[in-house]
Amino acid sequence: MRAARLIKMVLLLQARPSMTGAELARELDVSERTVTRDAQALSEAGVPVYADRGRAGGYRLIGGYRTRLTGLARPEAEALFLSGVPGALREMGLEDTASAARLKVAAALLPSLRDTPRTAAQRFHLDAPAWFSEPPTPESLPAIAEAVWGDRPILARYRRGPEEAEVERALEPYGLVLKAGVWYLCARVPNHTDPEPDPGPFRVYRVDRFTSVEISGAERFTRDDDFDLPAFWEERARQFARSILRAEVVVRLSAEGARGLPYAVDPVTARDALSAAGDPDEQGRVTVTLAVESAEVAHTQLAALGPEAEVLAPPELRERFARDARRLAALYAPSHSG
């Protein structure tokens, strides 16, 4: 633990001209007293750390000293590719690994380029979770991430739904996907024979539905070299979207309603419906046939378009919007009292 901290201290000082004791303490998550002891230990080990006293003092390396401890370990190199997703790194327990990797890269850069990691981070940032949503980090995520990185099989207990019983599965975890703040595990089920909603050996599990995860020993499984995580996820996402769209509604849209449709329903479904629509009528409205999850869901979604959308079918949904319109008319009618 201390050795790693000393290396990190050297890399910090190599990347910057000078740092105060308070700055080093904050970066290393220790006290300033510990920083003083660490600096003395480095000096005794032959690393030329110099401490300037006084108000403007701090720690620095003398004479352009450069450590050769800049080679990236494999976990650090892997974590570096995820550095643009700080929240995901933190939730998977890889934040310290990525920090060490960034320091090593910064230390290896020419002095004129050492500010590039910071300038890039101040210009591009990925915020994965959806608005107004802070899903809790699943307790089993760090263990699953460890198994994914190490190609280690796991024995997991999983609940498909809130009201369903737990099932136990032996899984080979291939990859993790963060979708709108929710973590999913893409895994292979070895020797799968049990019927499940997902066909084939590769399946998708919501990480927050795992009730327990145990890494199965020290053995590693052999990955299928043909497995492509982005392509697999894209196809499963399409399948999922198609599977839940079991009903259709016919809607007459104004020009404004057509522009707003992709924001009210699934954007791909909206584009498909609009591209198949005929020419506008004499009032400038187009009629589309829209795939929806259910009439109930369609009511909630299309209500956001207000008078820019007129439901033509099914009749029961049209009648429900008509009732809504009558209630709104009564609610906003001019008052005759007084």
Side-chain angles (χ1 to χ4, degrees), residues 53-205:
R53 306 297 179 184
R55 182 182 299 273
Y59 295 88
R60 60 186 176 87
L61 293 174
I62 300 175
Y65 174 85
R66 294 182 63 80
T67 176
R68 296 183 180 274
L69 297 173
T70 53
L72 289 179
R74 182 179 181 86
E76 294 170 342
E78 291 170 334
L80 191 60
F81 286 100
L82 294 173
S83 292
V85 197
L89 281 168
R90 184 172 55 254
E91 292 179 6
M92 289 191 291
L94 296 172
E95 189 172 28
D96 289 343
T97 303
S99 175
R102 287 192 295 269
L103 279 172
K104 289 185 177 183
V105 170
L109 292 173
L110 293 172
S112 61
L113 299 177
R114 283 184 190 158
D115 67 336
T116 53
R118 183 181 182 280
T119 56
Q122 294 302 317
R123 286 162 174 79
F124 300 99
H125 176 70
L126 176 62
D127 185 7
W131 284 107
F132 313 116
S133 174
E134 293 186 8
T137 302
E139 291 183 6
S140 59
L141 180 61
I144 293 175
E146 179 184 348
V148 167
W149 285 120
D151 294 337
R152 307 268 298 281
I154 61 174
L155 185 64
R157 296 190 65 83
Y158 181 80
R159 181 178 285 113
R160 295 196 190 100
E163 306 300 325
E164 298 190 40
E166 291 182 3
V167 295
E168 189 173 88
R169 292 287 180 270
L171 301 174
E172 294 176 350
Y174 267 59
L176 284 162
V177 175
L178 179 60
K179 171 71 171 179
V182 179
W183 286 95
Y184 296 88
L185 172 67
C186 301
R188 182 169 63 183
V189 182
N191 305 317
H192 68 100
T193 56
D194 56 310
E196 288 199 10
D198 290 338
F202 290 100
R203 296 172 183 169
V204 177
Y205 300 87

Side-chain angles (χ1 to χ4, degrees), residues 270-309:
R271 288 196 295 269
D272 290 345
L274 290 168
S275 64
D279 295 331
D281 59 20
E282 62 276 5
Q283 295 180 335
R285 291 179 172 252
V286 295
T287 299
V288 301
T289 300
L290 185 67
V292 295
E293 184 175 347
S294 65
E296 183 72 25
V297 172
H299 175 262
T300 302
Q301 293 174 325
L302 296 175
L305 298 177
E308 309 305 326

